[in-house]
Amino acid sequence: MLHEPVTTLTDVFVSIICFVAYRKLRKLPQRSQVHSLFKYYFLSMSLATLLGGVFGHALLHYVPFYMKLPGWITSMVSVALLERAMIIYSRKLMDQKIGNFFSKLNIIELLTFLMLSMITLNFQFVLIHAGYGMGIVVAGFTGFVYFKEKNKGSKQILLAILVSTIGAVFFVFKIGLDKWFNHADISHVFMMIASVLIYKGARNLIVG
């Protein structure tokens, strides 16, 4: 019997949306570092939510706790890729030294939280990394891009961050409707919406 079937299902829905976004971005004729980063953000997030759904929810009582790590690690890599996409995109609009600094910090930050998560097996470090990555780095650089260019893509990604933040509030404070549609399920619905918005924003930034 599957544990948390609804949560597993909503995770799978997020995974499917992200994989479709990856496939659509892959078909774009543009080839750039930003394009690749957005593309692999969606591929890794698709894998992360699938692994999370299977090992973190569906088979929770049948596998060791450390089997949550593949989903955690992949999700942190995914957030770091989205951070890097916006950092690289922003570099043309700022001093190169600033852009290079944040590019290096992006790697240091990812490695630090990866190690903390693997050593402690504490999901809080995954949440902190996601909050910092999305709420500060991605939001900060996307806001900077919108201020400079006023383009539709950066506006859509900012809206996605707002939607993700609302979902995070439901998750962190465990606000759910009942046991069959709990806080995790609600947060996954917001993740679905945010994923669509990030795809639209990424496409608009890539195509120009």
Side-chain angles (χ1 to χ4, degrees), residues 58-70:
L59 304 179
L60 182 62
H61 293 330
Y62 303 99
V63 296
F65 187 81
Y66 63 77
M67 287 302 294
K68 286 177 174 283
L69 278 175

Side-chain angles (χ1 to χ4, degrees), residues 156-170 187 189-195 197:
Q156 288 168 321
I157 294 175
L158 285 172
L159 183 57
I161 294 169
L162 175 61
V163 171
S164 296
T165 302
I166 295 171
V169 169
F170 277 91
S187 70
V189 172
F190 281 99
M191 282 180 67
M192 294 176 211
I193 300 169
S195 296
L197 288 168

Side-chain angles (χ1 to χ4, degrees), residues 106-125:
N106 172 245
I107 297 172
I108 295 169
E109 159 223 324
L110 173 61
L111 293 176
T112 300
F113 281 101
L114 280 175
M115 287 190 294
L116 288 170
S117 301
M118 288 188 286
I119 292 170
T120 64
L121 292 180
N122 189 336
F123 187 63
Q124 291 301 314
F125 289 113

Side-chain angles (χ1 to χ4, degrees), residues 33 37 80 83-91 94-111 132 137 141:
Q33 189 176 3
L37 287 166
E83 290 178 49
R84 198 165 192 81
M86 291 312 304
I87 291 169
I88 298 299
Y89 185 93
S90 302
R91 285 202 304 199
M94 63 175 62
D95 187 291
Q96 285 298 305
K97 290 181 180 178
I98 297 174
N100 292 336
F101 169 77
F102 279 101
S103 293
K104 292 175 182 176
L105 183 63
N106 172 245
I107 297 172
I108 295 169
E109 159 223 324
L110 173 61
L111 293 176
Y132 167 78
V137 180
F141 279 93

Side-chain angles (χ1 to χ4, degrees), residues 63-78:
V63 296
F65 187 81
Y66 63 77
M67 287 302 294
K68 286 177 174 283
L69 278 175
W72 293 2
I73 292 169
T74 313
S75 70
M76 285 189 283
V77 170
S78 181

